[in-house]
Amino acid sequence: MRSLYYQTPSAVALIFHIIRTEGPVNRTDIVNRTGLSKSTVSLQINRLLSRGLIREESPGTGEKARRKLRLELAADSGCVVGVLLGIHALTINIFNIAMTTLVEGSWEMTSVIEPEPTNRFIMEKIEELLQKATIPRDKLWGIGIGFPFPVDFRKGTSDSPPNLPLWNQYPLRKVYEEHFGCPVLIDNDVNVMALGEGFSGAAQEEKDFIFVKVGTGIGSGLILDGKIYRGSKGCAGDIGHIGIDGETRLCHCGNQGCLEAIAAAPAIASKGLEAAMTGESPLLENILQSKSRITSRDVGDCAQRGDMASIRIIQESGRKIGSVLAKLVNFANPGAVYIGGGVANSGNLFLSSIRESIVKRSPHLATIDLSIRFSELMARSGPSGAGILIIDELFSFARFQETLDRRLPAE
Ligand SMILES: [Zn+2]
């Protein structure tokens, strides 16, 4: 469930919004819906037609048919790019302006430590996909990108990424806008994943929900009243470094007992390694002997095969995450919690441990109808959310005039 930014819309923005979200519609529908005069509606529709943002389909000829002309979004008049950069992978989708995927690609990332080569790689891959789909540059209307670290959304810069000092205060939005010559929005990965889940995943009917990513780190995106809640600086939902009582494991941020340090993928892998080395888990011991390492996925797989040590590790992780989510549920009273990220592949045991903790620590009313599920889109939620982030901005009431001006017909 999405809602537009709150601002009194201009007539043309409002008419376009109706056609985009409800089309095909005829002119009479628009007059009735908006309360605008027939002449205003007609004038603004002609503007939208001349800029190529909408098109009409005629059911026949004559005055009667003209009144029934139906207007719809000209989906292929432009495209946007949705990008999700992870620590280990890059995923890019190009969508038309109706958010249908035109082309997509994903690549493994060996290192994201240095910003210049990483951004150059992302730009090259966007160019490659544009060429593959034979999309001319003037049809590229905007780009949305999710990065795996805190982002100052308003300034368009990264901010103090843990373990990635070279990215601190990097002017990401400016760099991409200058290169591509179109509007760009950047956000953190979990926010765009939450937007993606709300747009085309399991959360389409939810106005209030929390999306939690459990991977190398742990973060959450909050959708409240249909809108992403970023807080005053853009780091709302950054739950990975909330301290857990009684835990002392050192976190990469320098503190002890952070949720991330005891429940994210590296912690699961390290506890799995311990269980393999002490002989507590013969299954993990075999994996260690054959691969010389244990991943969180190995622990999740062994848990699903009934290995008791792995079950304990996965349950511990789920319960700790659930104990922090319970606080969010108490505070924000969402209708649903969705779990995504690599560790979500650990199966229902992981999910039921999270659920158990949330239910145990929350009031009855907050959990009676609370849905706690895995993300439906999983890895696809990121590019989809990054795409809708920029589309919603381009067509927002605040920015619509600028978008329209960029589509001036060639003289
Ligand atoms: Zn920490």
Side-chain angles (χ1 to χ4, degrees):
M1 171 64 101
R2 298 172 298 122
S3 67
L4 281 174
Y5 310 137
Y6 295 114
Q7 175 164 344
T8 309
S10 62
V12 69
L14 183 60
I15 292 168
F16 178 74
H17 176 67
I18 291 170
I19 295 169
R20 178 187 166 219
T21 55
E22 297 172 30
V25 289
N26 64 38
R27 287 164 200 247
T28 314
D29 293 335
I30 296 173
V31 169
N32 292 340
R33 283 287 314 278
T34 59
L36 295 165
S37 70
K38 279 184 191 173
S39 58
T40 303
V41 168
S42 188
L43 184 74
Q44 300 306 339
I45 283 172
N46 287 342
R47 275 180 83 194
L48 291 169
L49 284 167
S50 73
R51 308 289 167 94
L53 267 74
I54 60 169
R55 64 173 162 235
E56 52 190 352
E57 37 169 58
S58 170
T61 53
E63 175 59 20
K64 205 171 164 188
R66 201 192 70 80
R67 281 205 306 274
K68 284 189 181 164
L69 273 179
R70 300 202 321 154
L71 300 151
E72 62 184 6
L73 183 69
D76 292 320
S77 55
C79 73
V80 296
V81 179
V83 181
L84 184 78
L85 176 68
I87 296 290
H88 303 296
L90 168 71
T91 320
I92 303 175
N93 279 37
I94 299 184
F95 305 94
N96 68 15
I97 58 166
M99 282 299 291
T100 302
T101 298
L102 302 175
V103 60
E104 60 191 307
S106 58
W107 299 266
E108 261 184 45
M109 299 298 288
T110 47
S111 167
V112 299
I113 289 172
E114 289 188 61
E116 279 82 8
T118 306
N119 288 318
R120 205 178 317 124
F121 183 78
I122 296 171
M123 288 169 179
E124 280 169 17
K125 293 304 163 194
I126 293 174
E127 306 268 15
E128 271 178 36
L129 288 180
L130 287 169
Q131 270 183 14
K132 191 175 168 188
T134 58
I135 297 165
R137 188 56 81 82
D138 65 341
K139 277 202 170 182
L140 173 59
W141 288 14
I143 301 172
I145 313 177
F147 285 96
F149 39 66
V151 162
D152 188 322
F153 181 75
R154 289 184 188 88
K155 280 164 62 183
T157 56
S158 42
D159 195 278
S160 313
N163 298 334
L164 297 169
L166 298 174
W167 289 84
N168 192 25
Q169 299 299 322
Y170 200 85
L172 288 163
R173 190 173 65 210
K174 186 165 169 271
V175 165
Y176 279 85
E177 283 188 339
E178 281 177 3
H179 183 87
F180 287 101
C182 66
V184 174
L185 283 184
I186 64 159
D187 208 337
N188 73 57
D189 53 354
V190 196
N191 280 354
V192 300
M193 290 165 97
L195 285 169
E197 201 68 36
F199 176 69
S200 55
Q204 290 176 57
E205 302 301 321
E206 289 290 346
K207 272 178 74 184
D208 301 281
F209 69 90
I210 301 173
F211 184 97
V212 188
K213 180 193 153 206
V214 188
T216 310
I218 297 177
S220 72
L222 311 177
I223 304 284
L224 300 177
D225 201 21
K227 293 196 303 177
I228 189 99
Y229 178 78
R230 294 192 177 86
S232 75
K233 289 290 179 191
C235 59
D238 201 352
I239 57 172
H241 301 281
I242 289 179
I244 305 293
D245 289 345
E247 296 287 344
T248 54
R249 189 182 277 255
L250 188 66
C251 180
H252 59 83
C253 73
N255 286 326
Q256 285 184 323
C258 295
L259 177 63
E260 196 164 295
I262 57 173
I268 292 172
S270 122
K271 288 177 191 177
L273 180 66
E274 230 171 87
M277 290 174 70
T278 57
E280 193 192 346
S281 163
L283 265 181
L284 288 172
E285 201 177 342
N286 285 342
I287 293 172
L288 181 62
Q289 272 167 10
S290 63
K291 294 199 318 188
S292 310
R293 65 193 280 257
I294 298 285
T295 64
S296 63
R297 182 173 282 254
D298 294 328
V299 182
D301 288 346
C302 289
Q304 292 189 60
R305 288 165 62 192
D307 176 63
M308 291 313 289
S310 301
I311 288 174
R312 174 184 57 75
I313 295 167
I314 292 296
Q315 280 180 330
E316 267 174 22
S317 166
R319 286 188 192 125
K320 298 295 181 191
I321 292 166
S323 72
V324 169
L325 291 180
K327 295 182 171 84
L328 296 189
V329 166
N330 279 272
F331 179 73
N333 185 207
V337 175
Y338 301 97
I339 311 290
V343 179
N345 293 318
S346 303
N348 285 327
L349 191 71
F350 181 59
L351 193 67
S352 56
S353 305
I354 293 176
R355 183 181 290 124
E356 179 193 311
S357 252
I358 293 178
V359 171
K360 198 168 138 193
R361 293 159 184 266
S362 305
H364 176 69
L365 196 57
T367 54
I368 187 167
D369 288 322
L370 178 68
S371 161
I372 303 168
R373 305 163 50 182
F374 284 128
S375 154
E376 193 177 295
L377 299 179
M378 287 293 186
R380 287 176 294 124
S381 61
S384 170
I388 201 64
L389 174 73
I390 187 68
I391 278 266
D392 274 356
E393 171 70 12
L394 294 173
F395 297 148
S396 68
F397 294 154
R399 192 149 184 175
F400 189 72
Q401 189 59 49
E402 188 188 323
T403 302
L404 201 58
D405 290 344
R406 290 173 71 92
R407 311 267 80 77
L408 279 173
E411 293 295 326

